[in-house]
Each structure stands twice: as structure tokens, then as C-alpha cells.
């Protein structure tokens, strides 16, 4: 619980950390992405989705939308989110 409180405090007080809410196709809030801004990159610290949407297709959609927000900055993952980012990057390279 203290770790969660520390993370929430970080996102609330540090401008370099931001939370984005994800809306699904029905326009319902169904996920959250926590990022940390870096020099030329964005680190995805957290990516949580509603249980019914926890699939690679939705993760790809969320990360595509994040990429459109952050522009030319590279999207990178934390230890927890790196596998998700790698699968998303593979998906983007497919013809």
C-alpha cells in the first residue's frame, strides 16, 4: 500500500510523470497509462486495462494512441511493461 501511495504522490507532484486514462470503443474509461517523460523518450511505467480488455490488440491500440500524443519521442518500457512494448513494436513492423 505504501508503494501505491508513493507512486500516486509522484504522479500528482512531479510534472515529469503523467497519467492518461484510456477510453474504449464505447467511450467508457477502461484503462490507465502512467508515463515518465525523458529526454527524447517516454517511459511507460504502468499500463493497466479492465479485465475484458487485457489483450494485445487493445494494448496495441493504447500504445498507438500514446505514440500519437508523444510525437517523435521513443516509447520505452519499465521492467514490467517492456514485454508489452516489444510486442507492440513487432506489431508496428508487420506489413
Amino acid at each position: 500500500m505504501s508503494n501505491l501511495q508513493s507512486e500516486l504522490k509522484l504522479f500528482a507532484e512531479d510534472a515529469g510523470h503523467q497519467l492518461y486514462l484510456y477510453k474504449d470503443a464505447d467511450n467508457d474509461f477502461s484503462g490507465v497509462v502512467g508515463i515518465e517523460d525523458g529526454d527524447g523518450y517516454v517511459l511507460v511505467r504502468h499500463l493497466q486495462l479492465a479485465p475484458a480488455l487485457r489483450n494485445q490488440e487493445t494494448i496495441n491500440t493504447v500504445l498507438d494512441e500514446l505514440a500519437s500524443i508523444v510525437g517523435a519521442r521513443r516509447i520505452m518500457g519499465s521492467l514490467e511493461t517492456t514485454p508489452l512494448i516489444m510486442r507492440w513494436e513487432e506489431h508496428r513492423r508487420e506489413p
Side-chain angles (χ1 to χ4, degrees):
M1 189 64 163
S2 64
N3 187 31
L4 176 61
Q5 290 173 334
S6 297
E7 285 288 316
L8 289 174
K9 183 177 180 180
L10 184 64
F11 283 103
E13 296 177 357
D14 184 348
H17 291 77
Q18 299 173 22
L19 288 174
Y20 289 97
L21 298 176
Y22 172 70
K23 285 186 176 183
D24 62 20
D26 296 325
N27 211 28
D28 294 326
F29 289 109
S30 55
V32 63
V33 180
I35 66 166
E36 179 180 337
D37 286 322
D39 187 23
Y41 69 92
V42 171
L43 177 69
V44 177
R45 293 176 57 101
H46 307 284
L47 196 161
Q48 297 294 324
L49 296 170
L53 297 174
R54 291 183 188 152
N55 58 66
Q56 193 61 45
E57 181 180 345
T58 304
I59 291 167
N60 291 344
T61 300
V62 170
L63 293 173
D64 285 343
E65 291 181 16
L66 179 62
S68 71
I69 292 169
V70 301
R73 292 181 288 169
R74 180 163 189 234
I75 295 177
M76 300 176 65
S78 65
L79 287 175
E80 177 185 330
T81 62
T82 291
L84 304 174
I85 304 296
M86 290 176 65
R87 285 192 295 272
W88 169 69
E89 288 176 339
E90 288 173 14
H91 167 76
R92 290 182 76 178
R93 286 191 293 264
E94 292 176 0

